[in-house]
Amino acid sequence: MLAERRGRVLLLTLNRPAKLNAWTADLEDQYFALLTAADDDPQVWAIVVTGAGRGFCAGADLGDLKDAAGASAESVLRPRPRDFPLSVRKPIIGAINGVAAGLGMVEALYFDVRFGGPSTRFTTAFARRGLIAEYGISWLLPRLIGPSRASDLLLSGRMVGADEAFRIGLIDHLAPGPNVADAAVEYADDLAAHCSAQSMAIIKRQLSRDAAGPYDAAVARADELMLESFHGPDVLEGVASHLEKRAPNFSPLPARSSRVDL
């Protein structure tokens, strides 16, 4: 993994270009450790994740799967759950710079916002490898693109190009040129410059909690959180900066160890 600070944005790059950044346990450990550190770093307001070379992530390294037939439940346990990125409080922006296949596609779905470019492609691939819909994609994908389209992509494993991915909602922003990471960093930098870190963390938690719950419960929780926000400094600064026509000066998000989790 490569890590590069660009102001208050941390750019993380999956760095196995010769293998199209195929996923390994070591890559996962490095990636999750960097996410953990970024979530605790008050100087990081947003995270961008991309892949080195021609692809984002070609999925699990097939060399690691050659003995999968004899795998036990204990042998596939990892120190952190595979969907660990969903628990990160800060925005994670995906810069999908090439193919995202299988597990690589699942990891892309864990991002809050996805950017793509002309070479962006997706394939679930699982059915073509004798596998099932892994790591929550059967829950995530229908909520993103709808149940019928999710069935199409999961059952067929067909390749989806950039234009179709943008049309059906697999990517949110389609960069005109090949440098998808720069477009994603520009977006993340705008978040860092103009948005409250506390607000973004709470909104992420709302989106996660409210996705499968009833509407009235979401409204009730929002009312409570709104009243709490009125007593915090960010509302005063957000209103003042708007009226004074200047950039806001919000406080950074505290480290997890120094506060109750949002």
Side-chain angles (χ1 to χ4, degrees), residues 13-33:
T13 304
L14 309 178
N15 190 35
R16 301 186 72 218
K19 295 281 190 177
L20 285 178
N21 304 311
W23 200 266
T24 64
D26 182 58
L27 177 66
E28 177 175 295
D29 290 341
Q30 293 180 51
Y31 175 42
F32 288 1

Side-chain angles (χ1 to χ4, degrees), residues 70-94:
S72 65
E74 292 75 17
S75 67
V76 297
L77 290 176
R78 300 291 300 141
R80 299 180 181 91
R82 185 56 52 78
D83 62 0
F84 172 74
L86 292 176
S87 70
V88 174
R89 299 171 299 163
K90 297 173 181 179
I92 305 179
I93 315 304

Side-chain angles (χ1 to χ4, degrees), residues 129-178:
R129 303 291 179 268
L131 299 167
I132 53 86
E134 296 178 346
Y135 302 113
I137 194 173
S138 60
W139 190 94
L140 293 164
L141 193 58
R143 284 161 176 78
L144 187 66
I145 65 173
S148 181
R149 283 175 173 154
S151 295
D152 168 27
L153 300 193
L154 285 166
L155 294 174
S156 72
R158 67 181 180 85
M159 193 68 73
V160 175
D163 290 339
E164 182 181 3
F166 180 65
R167 176 173 57 82
I168 67 177
L170 276 176
I171 51 179
D172 307 293
H173 300 270
L174 191 56

Side-chain angles (χ1 to χ4, degrees), residues 3-17:
E4 176 189 350
R5 288 288 293 273
R6 296 196 184 180
R8 291 189 289 181
V9 176
L10 179 66
L11 174 62
L12 299 179
T13 304
L14 309 178
N15 190 35
R16 301 186 72 218

Side-chain angles (χ1 to χ4, degrees), residues 59-136:
D61 193 314
L62 294 182
D64 289 352
L65 293 181
K66 62 181 183 296
D67 298 321
S72 65
E74 292 75 17
S75 67
V76 297
L77 290 176
R78 300 291 300 141
R80 299 180 181 91
R82 185 56 52 78
D83 62 0
F84 172 74
L86 292 176
S87 70
V88 174
R89 299 171 299 163
K90 297 173 181 179
I92 305 179
I93 315 304
I96 316 302
N97 56 306
V99 68
L103 179 54
M105 180 171 174
V106 176
E107 289 296 333
L109 296 187
Y110 294 151
F111 300 142
D112 298 300
V113 179
R114 281 163 297 280
F115 278 70
S119 64
T120 299
R121 295 177 295 154
F122 292 90
T123 172
T124 61
F126 298 119
R128 299 192 177 207
R129 303 291 179 268
L131 299 167
I132 53 86
E134 296 178 346
Y135 302 113

Side-chain angles (χ1 to χ4, degrees), residues 201-256:
I202 292 174
I203 289 169
K204 283 193 60 170
R205 190 63 179 268
Q206 286 179 276
L207 289 168
S208 175
R209 283 181 171 176
D210 296 342
Y215 172 76
D216 54 351
V219 171
R221 280 192 294 268
D223 288 345
E224 293 176 4
L225 292 167
M226 179 177 63
L227 290 173
E228 290 177 13
S229 71
F230 287 159
H231 297 283
D234 281 5
V235 167
L236 294 176
E237 174 59 16
V239 172
S241 62
H242 177 72
L243 294 175
E244 296 166 14
K245 301 186 184 332
R246 60 172 173 81
N249 184 25
F250 292 121
S251 298
L253 199 64
R256 282 187 185 271

